[in-house]
Amino acid sequence: MDFLIERLPIYLDGAWVTIQLTAGGLALAFVLALFFGILGTRPEWLPRAVATTYVEVFRGVSALVLMFWMAYALPVLTGYQLDGRFAAIIAVGLNIGAYGAEVVRGAIKAVPKAQFEATVALDMTWFQRMRLVILPQAWAQMLPTFGNLSIELMKATAVSYLIGVADISAIAERMRQATGETVLAFSGALILYFLIAQVLIFGVRLLERRANHRLGRVPPGGRGILGLLRPPALTTSGGAK
């Protein structure tokens, strides 16, 4: 315990880098997932082909290899060296964004067809349909899977130390080499990754309950802190079970 307490500031520096990578990767992944997910629902073949190409390419590529490519191959091709953190953010964002795009597409497709028909009957534009009717309903269905993907993205940043980023994993390896305390060095990293994951889980569940509340779905367990510790149950009838 004394080992971890004495080196806590160093581990916290690594944790801050991991949080930055996670936040940046999530922002990029969310934008890409929303854009290509919506594109994949369009009736025209060209937008669907573009969305499918993005999903299949970046879902089928290892995040680690993509990170190496951004850090080492891209400078050879362009002559421009990306910062290690930026390269890691782009790599994990592109990779997780491809998975997220399929989540968005599936959630939009899951919205009842009657909702689409109602927006047409009300003479809404495509943008109004998506913003006011379709996406709010699809959003509640996306969030549980988005929560899982956010944790996967956070864990994927752990390999960024291989391209010189001083994240939690890099700090743990540095402590192991400096002290020879393998178990304690990596135990500190395990604890920090676990704590960051719990914050992500809590935040996503908070968003889930807010989305369900806006749709008139009242999750079991109330609105308190204890209720947020349990995943919400979606209902199809619009009321509480």
Side-chain angles (χ1 to χ4, degrees):
M1 184 60 69
D2 291 339
F3 176 92
L4 297 178
I5 293 175
E6 292 173 2
R7 294 162 178 79
L8 182 60
I10 301 175
Y11 275 97
L12 290 180
D13 288 341
W16 174 237
V17 173
T18 295
I19 291 171
Q20 290 178 317
L21 297 178
T22 302
L26 285 176
L28 177 59
F30 178 75
V31 171
L32 292 173
L34 204 60
F35 177 77
F36 286 103
I38 293 175
L39 208 64
T41 65
R42 296 292 296 168
E44 301 86 3
W45 72 269
L46 184 57
R48 286 189 287 109
V50 171
T52 300
T53 301
Y54 164 74
V55 169
E56 295 303 326
V57 168
F58 289 102
R59 191 171 58 175
V61 174
S62 165
L64 176 59
V65 175
L66 187 58
M67 203 176 292
F68 282 154
W69 196 91
M70 290 291 176
Y72 302 125
L74 188 62
V76 174
L77 295 176
T78 65
Y80 181 75
Q81 179 69 55
L82 291 177
D83 177 74
R85 296 186 193 184
F86 191 54
I89 287 172
I90 293 177
V92 296
L94 286 170
N95 184 254
I96 299 299
Y99 289 95
E102 283 296 277
V103 175
V104 173
R105 187 182 67 83
I108 292 175
K109 291 290 187 180
V111 175
K113 188 177 179 181
Q115 298 292 322
F116 287 91
E117 295 171 348
T119 59
V120 174
L122 292 172
D123 198 27
M124 289 184 174
T125 64
W126 178 86
F127 182 75
Q128 288 175 325
R129 296 173 197 169
M130 297 301 297
R131 183 174 65 88
L132 300 175
V133 179
I134 306 304
L135 282 180
Q137 296 182 63
W139 175 243
Q141 300 184 54
M142 298 176 202
L143 280 171
T145 309
F146 273 174
N148 293 334
L149 290 178
S150 67
I151 295 173
E152 290 300 318
L153 185 146
M154 184 271 294
K155 292 189 293 185
T157 65
V159 297
S160 62
Y161 82 95
L162 294 172
I163 59 172
V165 178
D167 68 336
I168 296 174
S169 298
I171 297 300
E173 176 62 18
R174 191 181 304 166
M175 291 299 102
R176 184 192 69 81
Q177 293 178 356
T179 65
E181 295 286 353
T182 302
V183 175
L184 291 175
F186 286 106
S187 293
L190 285 174
I191 293 170
L192 287 174
Y193 278 118
F194 176 78
L195 292 176
I196 295 172
Q198 296 313 300
V199 173
L200 289 172
I201 291 170
F202 184 85
V204 170
R205 287 181 180 170
L206 185 63
L207 290 174
E208 286 181 59
R209 292 183 181 275
R210 182 178 178 184
N212 288 328
H213 179 71
R214 292 183 64 182
L215 293 174
R217 301 165 178 167
V218 183
R223 298 190 181 96
I225 295 296
L226 292 178
L228 290 173
L229 299 179
R230 294 189 295 272
L234 299 181
T235 64
T236 56
S237 59
K241 278 189 175 181

